[in-house]
Amino acid sequence: MTGHAPDGPGLLRNFVGGEFVDVGSRFTKRSPVTGEPVFEVVEASQSTVDDAVAAARSALRGPWGRMGERERAEVLRRVADELERRFDDLVAAEVADTGKAISQARTLDIPRGAANFRAFAEIVATAPTESFTTVTPAGGRALNYAVRKPVGVVAVIVPWNLPLLLLTWKVAPALACGNAVVVKPSEETPASATLLAEVMAAAGVPDGVFNLVHGFGPGSAGEHLTRHPGVDAITFTGESATGSAIMRAAADGVKAVSFELGGKNAGLVFADADLDAAVAGSVRSSFTNGGQVCLCTERIYVQRPVFEEFTARLAKRADELAYGWPDDEATANMPLISHGHRDKVLGHYALARTEGAEVRAGGGTPRFGDARDGGAYVQPTVLTGLGPDARTNQEEIFGPVVHVAPFDDEDEAFALANGTAYGLAATVWTPDVGRAHRAGARLDAGIVWVNTWFLRDLRTPFGGVKASGVGREGGVHSLDFYSELTNVCVDLT
Ligand code: NAD
Ligand code: 6OD
């Protein structure tokens, strides 16, 4: 990649107005696999953020601002083509930053980058807008119709768990709607975003439409961006507490916000479920990406007749998940993103024991006898024995850990699932169609999956209720956030 130097830990730079710039202090990004430095990253100062916002504003006044939906859709398709051309580089960048298994980066993270651009190219080119014929007071006719316009300069702030997937999930609709963006990836995952800047340039996205600033949150690029008077809207994915801080910063400028936040998602396994599918699905829903997916199930409630069998099988599968180096195709486990995050997760493992949990699988850290002992690994962990109000069942841990508890009937199951401050996703395992629909109606969650997990259609609404988010993105819901609607009323008489 030309965003960083070829030898030693590469230097990752900011991208402003179509140019890579490396003015400012630097920080080190370390490998979650070994703890060794992998990148030096230029931290964007207030003045770099000012330049990025100014470049974005200026781009809105240039050719980008004059393009129609279909032309923009064509640009988005070129971005998708270029992402596919740079596929191997992007996989390598994502694996270097996160330590995730190469098989997952190849099948989930990077394909979704291109898919996000293709989906929103299609959605923006085909989305209808409202129109109404109105009777005037004089008995004549008037035509009302809505016109979509860009919001302006959009700040995109994203976390480290699915870096390219989550970044492009927001950049694609923002560009589809004609905005210019300033993006801030997580300080833990600067590499794929830097490659995305190269992709944008190669795809012919006009200078200043996509700008990238690296850095941290408070007192750094993240806060500079959210407090910037030149930013019109903020779209954010991350922790609920960070969402609160950003909302306070956005209040000063009355900026629109869209928030995809934390979760403490429940899985419900009914006694009539296909238990093989429920166990396999729960292994995925609790341990994918080291449990570092906002949609992961950290609480599973199982109907009493199958509770013991389900728990024993889940614990066995957790113990069997394969460790390996990220580039080994058989690897299933991955390290946590950092030693800081590992300390937090291990603190939760200790807390669970203090609260009286029984550890049915894992509960500690693996030993490898090689360089991975310098990494941020923890064992996939299955817990039982705690009540619904235990902190272990209330606080988002964001690691490969799940607590399993029994329930007796449907009402109890729905009440347990709803019993946290969060409401992002729920997963229900049952062949009973009536129960599936009741779950959809009664669970406090933005997404209810039945007999599946993380099956995505990019046209559907995505977001959370309660502390899990503000607003919805996906399909036309993204268009609604990333555009302003002007109603035009023409008297036809
Ligand atoms: P985080 O909130 O710590 O950081 C997310 C981003 O915000 C990073 O880029 C960070 O630098 C930036 N940031 C932090 N403080 C800021 C501030 N005061 N002002 C501006 N920017 C700031 O989250 P994380 O640890 O990177 O990611 C894990 C969290 O993200 C989990 O809670 C997870 O559930 C959540 N998440 C939610 C979704 C969803 O779709 N709902 C998706 C992925 C992750
Ligand atoms: O699939 C998506 O569009 C999406 N936003 C997934 C979020 C995953 C959270 O970690």
Side-chain angles (χ1 to χ4, degrees):
M1 63 165 88
T2 53
H4 74 74
D7 299 318
L11 178 67
L12 303 183
R13 297 172 293 171
N14 299 298
F15 186 72
V16 176
E19 301 284 336
F20 281 103
V21 288
D22 60 8
V23 184
S25 57
R26 295 176 181 185
F27 62 93
T28 301
K29 159 65 194 168
R30 292 182 178 277
S31 163
V33 177
T34 62
E36 294 297 313
V38 279
F39 298 116
E40 286 294 299
V41 189
V42 181
E43 181 178 0
S45 62
Q46 176 73 60
S47 103
T48 303
V49 172
D50 289 346
D51 291 347
V53 173
R57 179 70 55 199
S58 160
L60 292 170
R61 293 191 289 265
W64 182 247
R66 292 188 289 276
M67 276 186 201
E69 280 95 348
R70 284 180 182 279
E71 274 177 289
R72 291 199 302 266
E74 202 40 55
V75 174
L76 263 63
R77 286 188 200 101
R78 290 205 304 270
V79 173
D81 291 344
E82 186 63 16
L83 282 168
E84 281 160 2
R85 201 180 68 74
R86 299 293 302 273
F87 187 85
D88 290 342
D89 294 339
L90 287 157
V91 167
E94 213 72 312
V95 171
D97 266 349
T98 62
K100 65 181 67 198
I102 195 165
S103 54
Q104 182 195 305
R106 281 198 186 126
T107 53
L108 171 66
D109 296 69
I110 308 308
R112 257 299 293 279
N116 286 335
F117 281 95
R118 292 205 193 285
F120 284 104
E122 185 67 25
I123 290 163
V124 79
T126 55
T129 50
E130 299 157 90
S131 69
F132 298 94
T133 327
T134 307
V135 180
T136 67
R141 296 267 163 191
L143 173 67
N144 283 281
Y145 65 94
V147 184
R148 278 191 195 282
K149 299 174 182 171
V151 177
V153 176
V154 178
V156 181
I157 302 180
V158 286
W160 42 258
N161 58 322
L162 301 169
L164 187 76
L165 185 160
L166 292 171
L167 178 57
T168 53
W169 168 244
K170 289 174 177 296
V171 169
L175 298 193
C177 293
N179 301 285
V181 296
V182 182
V183 311
K184 198 206 80 63
S186 168
E187 55 275 27
E188 294 292 352
T189 50
S192 58
T194 308
L195 277 176
L196 183 61
E198 293 180 20
V199 162
M200 290 287 166
V205 175
D207 292 349
V209 171
F210 176 93
N211 304 276
L212 161 70
V213 292
H214 288 297
F216 302 83
S220 181
E223 186 175 354
H224 299 331
L225 202 47
T226 56
R227 294 202 176 280
H228 204 291
V231 166
D232 299 300
I234 302 170
T235 181
F236 167 73
T237 302
E239 281 193 22
S240 300
T242 311
S244 297
I246 292 179
M247 199 173 232
R248 282 192 288 277
D252 280 343
V254 200
K255 298 178 174 119
V257 295
S258 171
F259 287 167
E260 296 175 0
L261 306 176
K264 189 71 186 175
N265 311 300
L268 299 180
V269 180
F270 286 87
D272 57 5
D274 172 343
L275 219 55
D276 291 344
V279 171
S282 300
V283 170
R284 283 185 63 230
S285 72
S286 293
F287 303 128
T288 292
N289 208 52
Q292 304 168 115
V293 181
C294 58
L295 308 160
C296 276
T297 45
E298 291 191 357
R299 304 177 295 144
I300 299 183
Y301 293 104
V302 185
Q303 206 160 15
R304 205 171 295 276
V306 294
F307 170 72
E308 261 316 320
E309 182 185 351
F310 175 89
T311 308
R313 289 176 64 181
L314 183 68
K316 182 165 181 294
R317 293 284 302 273
D319 280 336
E320 288 168 355
L321 285 174
Y323 289 100
W325 291 88
D327 56 3
D328 179 344
E329 295 289 342
T331 296
N333 282 318
M334 63 181 278
L336 299 178
I337 191 67
S338 64
H339 287 85
H341 189 50
R342 183 172 71 163
D343 291 346
K344 179 189 155 196
V345 171
L346 289 176
H348 277 281
Y349 288 7
L351 172 68
R353 287 190 172 90
T354 309
E355 290 187 303
E358 185 182 346
V359 179
R360 301 285 294 262
T365 52
R367 299 302 297 168
F368 298 100
D370 60 32
R372 284 170 297 172
D373 288 337
Y377 288 86
V378 297
Q379 292 172 324
T381 293
V382 177
L383 306 167
T384 56
L386 298 180
D389 296 331
R391 283 178 57 195
T392 300
N393 277 323
Q394 290 292 323
E395 297 174 12
E396 184 186 48
I397 302 172
F398 220 57
V401 54
V402 59
H403 181 273
V404 193
F407 69 84
D408 288 304
D409 61 30
E410 188 178 291
D411 282 345
E412 186 191 4
F414 291 166
L416 286 165
N418 288 341
T420 74
Y422 294 101
L424 186 56
T427 304
V428 181
W429 297 93
T430 181
D432 181 332
V433 174
R435 175 177 286 144
H437 291 298
R438 288 192 293 279
R442 291 181 51 191
L443 290 175
D444 298 340
I447 303 145
V448 174
W449 276 297
V450 180
N451 298 323
T452 186
W453 176 75
F454 205 177
L455 177 62
R456 295 282 287 117
D457 180 326
L458 306 187
R459 298 167 298 183
T460 59
F462 184 95
V465 306
K466 301 196 284 189
S468 288
V470 175
R472 293 290 179 277
E473 298 199 29
V476 293
H477 305 279
S478 293
L479 303 190
D480 286 343
F481 178 72
Y482 294 105
S483 55
E484 294 284 12
L485 286 174
T486 296
N487 186 68
V488 182
C489 177
V490 183
D491 191 333
L492 301 175
T493 51

